[in-house]
Amino acid sequence: MTSVLSAVLRAAEPGRSLLDAVRRLARPYVVRRIFGMIPTVVFISIIIFVVIQLPPGDIVTSTLDRLQSSGVEVSAEQVQNLRAQFNLDKPMHMQYLHWAGGFVVGDMGYSYRYSRPVNELVWERLGYTLLIAVSAVFFTWIVAVPIGIFSAIRQYSIGDYTFTVIGLIGIATPHFLLALLFMYAAYEWFGISIGGLFSPEYREAPWTLAKVWDLCQHIWIPMVVLGLGGTAATMRVLRANLLDELNKPYVVTARAKGVRPVKLVLKYPLRIALNPFASTVGLLLPTLIAGDVIVSRVLNLPTLGQLLLDALLTQDMFLAGSIVMLQVILIQFGLLLSDLVLAWIDPRIRYE
Amino acid sequence: MTAPVLEIRDLAVEFKTDTGLTRALRNVNFDVPRGEVTAIVGESGSGKSVTANCIMRLIQPPGRITGGSIRFAPTASQAFDIAALEDKDERLLDLRGGHISMVFQEPMTALSPVHNIGGQVAEAILCHREVSKEQAWAEAAQMLAHVGIGDIERRMTMYPFEFSGGMRQRVVIAMALVCNPEVLICDEPTTALDVTIQAEILTLIRNLQDELKNSVIFITHDLGVVAQIADHVVVMYQGRVLEIGTVRQVLKQPVHPYTKGLLKAIPGVVDPGERLATIASVVGDADITTPFPLIKLSDGRQVSLPRGHVPAELKP
């Protein structure tokens, strides 16, 4: 895999941009990486399937329980029919193949709880989930990177200490508490309706400019709440990385060359200090999707995390399994993305 | 004799550390003659590198220039005191890399690992002159060829980790010379290299100096290197200048006991079991840690000794 990437860069003739070279030659590398993911994904899908099967009972037994507790008698034949309908009468490996096979062709099965295809449920939430996750990441970076740089350059200054204290408070405060505080503030001071991504009147409305504006008014709460936790950590890590780099000889060389102070920091040490973030950028996607369950609950956000929690509580196997599988696939692509970003910003990694 | 390009007077530098104040330089005085090679010699911690960093104004906190002046007299413009410049002064940015540039000790770490060679050399031009990027790259290529790097087209898009130590030092030298500075400071440029490469780099620096006629400050602890490259010698010890003279004067007729000790401590052909001379034993009762003001013996010849210790034939 590394030999391929080095071939990519050998092909970067002078005058031709790096991106051109990547476009021309990175394709086989990416294709190979994607094929390499298949065994991992298959293996994990088996584990997921087994784990989901482990708890006693299945969708039919829980339906029966519900029916029986409400006084409805169900005949043995009806039970048999139900089981057949959900393929529960087939042997385990056939059930797995049926589930996994559906996944391959893009059919994630049927949610018993919602009586709708899993595809619909997931897709309508995936967009919002990604929107919230990406805006939270942007918030984190926009706030944390400048503060991290400031703290490193003015180490032990009053500003550095102030940001450190605020950062530590940010780490120590539980997300849901922040969410509650922000909701209170939003309602009390700005008169914005609490919870969700839209005001009630826009919830089912078709997309219009007004609806987008309504979304903008609501999204900042989850954005700030989810972003703040990461901000403190990011800013501390960046500060530490940058402090390591600031006095390296190559920075002194650049200064001796007459590079202007601001450009000096941005072009040289920052570039290297950002490496660890590049290697985690791909992992942010799945964590942000999975990690916001409590906040999603509190803020009543239509995210995948909340859907997953519901699915697990109701033993909605297709739904839960599908979401976990989606996350596995996201992690795989996230890792690939990280590697590509890292190779793009650090030539040493390309050649190794 | 033309006026010196640099006149350093009473330069003092202090480092504030947790354990107290370290006086890295005290009352350092010497001139750097225009168009010649001045070597600064001394052991580790004698203040050689700190002096060089002062000239470039690269002393970072907790270090601070606490006194003295560094008068820089460029050929084309007004002379000014480098030590007195504000950090934000345009002349300072112009000075670094433009009028005075530096070659560092560690070629393995002196180049940015994530920027290509061509870009790093061209940047030195772009920092100081209004030229297009293509023009800067073309001039960088010329300079790299000049310092003996072949296959330039390909090498310029390569990264430092693909270069050997000697090659990197050539790149650093090219980067320092690409704006044709009046003063080139070489801070132990060969210490981190093996002996054969060391000789190549020394020859390169000497040849470039002969050709470009810039003034060179060459910092080293190796008296063999001094003999090979320098015109003038400044001997430093514990942040002070002990002796100044031409290379011939200092190496052939050292006056200060410390310089004599240094010369005796050069490893030569010795019998098995014989020990190298150490400075403490040769200095004897003349206490080298007591500072004495520099006494001028003749033009460009000074020594820091009590009057009574100066040999009669050298007295002015």
Side-chain angles (χ1 to χ4, degrees), chain B residues 168-183:
Chain B
R168 288 187 207 190
Q169 198 60 299
R170 284 172 195 267
V171 172
V172 175
I173 292 171
M175 207 161 85
L177 288 176
V178 79
C179 286
N180 196 17
E182 301 202 24
V183 181

PDB file of all heavy atoms in Angstrom, chain B residues 168-183:
ATOM      1  N   ARG B 168      21.964  18.047   2.737  1.00  0.00           N
ATOM      2  CA  ARG B 168      21.104  19.005   3.441  1.00  0.00           C
ATOM      3  C   ARG B 168      21.885  20.246   3.808  1.00  0.00           C
ATOM      4  O   ARG B 168      21.383  21.356   3.708  1.00  0.00           O
ATOM      5  CB  ARG B 168      20.547  18.382   4.723  1.00  0.00           C
ATOM      6  CG  ARG B 168      19.499  17.346   4.456  1.00  0.00           C
ATOM      7  CD  ARG B 168      18.889  16.933   5.768  1.00  0.00           C
ATOM      8  NE  ARG B 168      18.387  15.574   5.665  1.00  0.00           N
ATOM      9  CZ  ARG B 168      17.638  15.011   6.593  1.00  0.00           C
ATOM     10  NH1 ARG B 168      17.326  15.669   7.676  1.00  0.00           N
ATOM     11  NH2 ARG B 168      17.211  13.789   6.437  1.00  0.00           N
ATOM     12  N   GLN B 169      23.154  20.035   4.251  1.00  0.00           N
ATOM     13  CA  GLN B 169      23.931  21.204   4.632  1.00  0.00           C
ATOM     14  C   GLN B 169      24.188  22.073   3.402  1.00  0.00           C
ATOM     15  O   GLN B 169      24.195  23.297   3.498  1.00  0.00           O
ATOM     16  CB  GLN B 169      25.241  20.762   5.314  1.00  0.00           C
ATOM     17  CG  GLN B 169      25.919  21.852   6.120  1.00  0.00           C
ATOM     18  CD  GLN B 169      25.057  22.402   7.251  1.00  0.00           C
ATOM     19  OE1 GLN B 169      23.982  22.943   7.032  1.00  0.00           O
ATOM     20  NE2 GLN B 169      25.521  22.248   8.479  1.00  0.00           N
ATOM     21  N   ARG B 170      24.338  21.462   2.237  1.00  0.00           N
ATOM     22  CA  ARG B 170      24.488  22.249   1.007  1.00  0.00           C
ATOM     23  C   ARG B 170      23.211  23.051   0.742  1.00  0.00           C
ATOM     24  O   ARG B 170      23.272  24.208   0.323  1.00  0.00           O
ATOM     25  CB  ARG B 170      24.776  21.331  -0.187  1.00  0.00           C
ATOM     26  CG  ARG B 170      26.207  20.820  -0.213  1.00  0.00           C
ATOM     27  CD  ARG B 170      26.404  19.772  -1.294  1.00  0.00           C
ATOM     28  NE  ARG B 170      27.645  19.047  -1.074  1.00  0.00           N
ATOM     29  CZ  ARG B 170      28.800  19.397  -1.640  1.00  0.00           C
ATOM     30  NH1 ARG B 170      28.854  20.415  -2.455  1.00  0.00           N
ATOM     31  NH2 ARG B 170      29.898  18.709  -1.387  1.00  0.00           N
ATOM     32  N   VAL B 171      22.074  22.411   1.001  1.00  0.00           N
ATOM     33  CA  VAL B 171      20.802  23.123   0.817  1.00  0.00           C
ATOM     34  C   VAL B 171      20.723  24.318   1.767  1.00  0.00           C
ATOM     35  O   VAL B 171      20.342  25.423   1.371  1.00  0.00           O
ATOM     36  CB  VAL B 171      19.596  22.179   1.055  1.00  0.00           C
ATOM     37  CG1 VAL B 171      18.293  22.961   1.050  1.00  0.00           C
ATOM     38  CG2 VAL B 171      19.568  21.077   0.009  1.00  0.00           C
ATOM     39  N   VAL B 172      21.114  24.077   3.028  1.00  0.00           N
ATOM     40  CA  VAL B 172      21.050  25.164   4.015  1.00  0.00           C
ATOM     41  C   VAL B 172      21.978  26.305   3.586  1.00  0.00           C
ATOM     42  O   VAL B 172      21.629  27.485   3.697  1.00  0.00           O
ATOM     43  CB  VAL B 172      21.420  24.650   5.427  1.00  0.00           C
ATOM     44  CG1 VAL B 172      21.475  25.803   6.415  1.00  0.00           C
ATOM     45  CG2 VAL B 172      20.416  23.616   5.889  1.00  0.00           C
ATOM     46  N   ILE B 173      23.149  25.944   3.051  1.00  0.00           N
ATOM     47  CA  ILE B 173      24.092  26.975   2.592  1.00  0.00           C
ATOM     48  C   ILE B 173      23.486  27.737   1.408  1.00  0.00           C
ATOM     49  O   ILE B 173      23.539  28.971   1.357  1.00  0.00           O
ATOM     50  CB  ILE B 173      25.452  26.338   2.221  1.00  0.00           C
ATOM     51  CG1 ILE B 173      26.134  25.822   3.486  1.00  0.00           C
ATOM     52  CG2 ILE B 173      26.341  27.343   1.499  1.00  0.00           C
ATOM     53  CD1 ILE B 173      27.368  24.980   3.232  1.00  0.00           C
ATOM     54  N   ALA B 174      22.876  26.998   0.492  1.00  0.00           N
ATOM     55  CA  ALA B 174      22.233  27.654  -0.655  1.00  0.00           C
ATOM     56  C   ALA B 174      21.148  28.608  -0.172  1.00  0.00           C
ATOM     57  O   ALA B 174      21.026  29.734  -0.659  1.00  0.00           O
ATOM     58  CB  ALA B 174      21.630  26.597  -1.582  1.00  0.00           C
ATOM     59  N   MET B 175      20.386  28.159   0.809  1.00  0.00           N
ATOM     60  CA  MET B 175      19.298  28.970   1.345  1.00  0.00           C
ATOM     61  C   MET B 175      19.846  30.252   1.965  1.00  0.00           C
ATOM     62  O   MET B 175      19.261  31.322   1.841  1.00  0.00           O
ATOM     63  CB  MET B 175      18.574  28.149   2.411  1.00  0.00           C
ATOM     64  CG  MET B 175      17.142  28.504   2.622  1.00  0.00           C
ATOM     65  SD  MET B 175      16.333  27.127   3.437  1.00  0.00           S
ATOM     66  CE  MET B 175      16.732  27.500   5.120  1.00  0.00           C
ATOM     67  N   ALA B 176      21.010  30.123   2.624  1.00  0.00           N
ATOM     68  CA  ALA B 176      21.603  31.283   3.287  1.00  0.00           C
ATOM     69  C   ALA B 176      22.187  32.264   2.268  1.00  0.00           C
ATOM     70  O   ALA B 176      22.178  33.465   2.490  1.00  0.00           O
ATOM     71  CB  ALA B 176      22.682  30.823   4.264  1.00  0.00           C
ATOM     72  N   LEU B 177      22.694  31.729   1.152  1.00  0.00           N
ATOM     73  CA  LEU B 177      23.421  32.603   0.221  1.00  0.00           C
ATOM     74  C   LEU B 177      22.559  33.137  -0.909  1.00  0.00           C
ATOM     75  O   LEU B 177      22.992  33.988  -1.674  1.00  0.00           O
ATOM     76  CB  LEU B 177      24.616  31.841  -0.369  1.00  0.00           C
ATOM     77  CG  LEU B 177      25.766  31.589   0.602  1.00  0.00           C
ATOM     78  CD1 LEU B 177      26.832  30.746  -0.075  1.00  0.00           C
ATOM     79  CD2 LEU B 177      26.352  32.906   1.093  1.00  0.00           C
ATOM     80  N   VAL B 178      21.327  32.640  -1.014  1.00  0.00           N
ATOM     81  CA  VAL B 178      20.545  32.912  -2.206  1.00  0.00           C
ATOM     82  C   VAL B 178      20.192  34.395  -2.351  1.00  0.00           C
ATOM     83  O   VAL B 178      19.962  34.886  -3.450  1.00  0.00           O
ATOM     84  CB  VAL B 178      19.290  31.996  -2.234  1.00  0.00           C
ATOM     85  CG1 VAL B 178      18.211  32.519  -1.324  1.00  0.00           C
ATOM     86  CG2 VAL B 178      18.787  31.798  -3.632  1.00  0.00           C
ATOM     87  N   CYS B 179      20.188  35.132  -1.235  1.00  0.00           N
ATOM     88  CA  CYS B 179      19.935  36.573  -1.337  1.00  0.00           C
ATOM     89  C   CYS B 179      21.232  37.367  -1.329  1.00  0.00           C
ATOM     90  O   CYS B 179      21.222  38.584  -1.144  1.00  0.00           O
ATOM     91  CB  CYS B 179      19.033  37.043  -0.193  1.00  0.00           C
ATOM     92  SG  CYS B 179      17.343  36.533  -0.409  1.00  0.00           S
ATOM     93  N   ASN B 180      22.346  36.686  -1.504  1.00  0.00           N
ATOM     94  CA  ASN B 180      23.671  37.302  -1.493  1.00  0.00           C
ATOM     95  C   ASN B 180      23.874  38.237  -0.304  1.00  0.00           C
ATOM     96  O   ASN B 180      24.054  39.440  -0.465  1.00  0.00           O
ATOM     97  CB  ASN B 180      23.914  38.048  -2.811  1.00  0.00           C
ATOM     98  CG  ASN B 180      25.394  38.360  -2.978  1.00  0.00           C
ATOM     99  OD1 ASN B 180      26.241  37.760  -2.306  1.00  0.00           O
ATOM    100  ND2 ASN B 180      25.695  39.306  -3.847  1.00  0.00           N
ATOM    101  N   PRO B 181      23.867  37.668   0.905  1.00  0.00           N
ATOM    102  CA  PRO B 181      23.985  38.501   2.110  1.00  0.00           C
ATOM    103  C   PRO B 181      25.402  39.044   2.254  1.00  0.00           C
ATOM    104  O   PRO B 181      26.343  38.469   1.710  1.00  0.00           O
ATOM    105  CB  PRO B 181      23.680  37.512   3.231  1.00  0.00           C
ATOM    106  CG  PRO B 181      24.126  36.199   2.690  1.00  0.00           C
ATOM    107  CD  PRO B 181      23.843  36.232   1.218  1.00  0.00           C
ATOM    108  N   GLU B 182      25.524  40.146   2.995  1.00  0.00           N
ATOM    109  CA  GLU B 182      26.857  40.705   3.220  1.00  0.00           C
ATOM    110  C   GLU B 182      27.625  39.895   4.249  1.00  0.00           C
ATOM    111  O   GLU B 182      28.838  39.814   4.195  1.00  0.00           O
ATOM    112  CB  GLU B 182      26.736  42.145   3.703  1.00  0.00           C
ATOM    113  CG  GLU B 182      26.004  42.988   2.703  1.00  0.00           C
ATOM    114  CD  GLU B 182      26.302  44.460   2.865  1.00  0.00           C
ATOM    115  OE1 GLU B 182      27.368  44.795   3.410  1.00  0.00           O
ATOM    116  OE2 GLU B 182      25.471  45.259   2.443  1.00  0.00           O
ATOM    117  N   VAL B 183      26.859  39.340   5.209  1.00  0.00           N
ATOM    118  CA  VAL B 183      27.514  38.549   6.248  1.00  0.00           C
ATOM    119  C   VAL B 183      26.885  37.157   6.273  1.00  0.00           C
ATOM    120  O   VAL B 183      25.673  37.017   6.262  1.00  0.00           O
ATOM    121  CB  VAL B 183      27.359  39.205   7.642  1.00  0.00           C
ATOM    122  CG1 VAL B 183      28.072  38.378   8.697  1.00  0.00           C
ATOM    123  CG2 VAL B 183      27.871  40.624   7.632  1.00  0.00           C
TER     124      VAL B 183
END
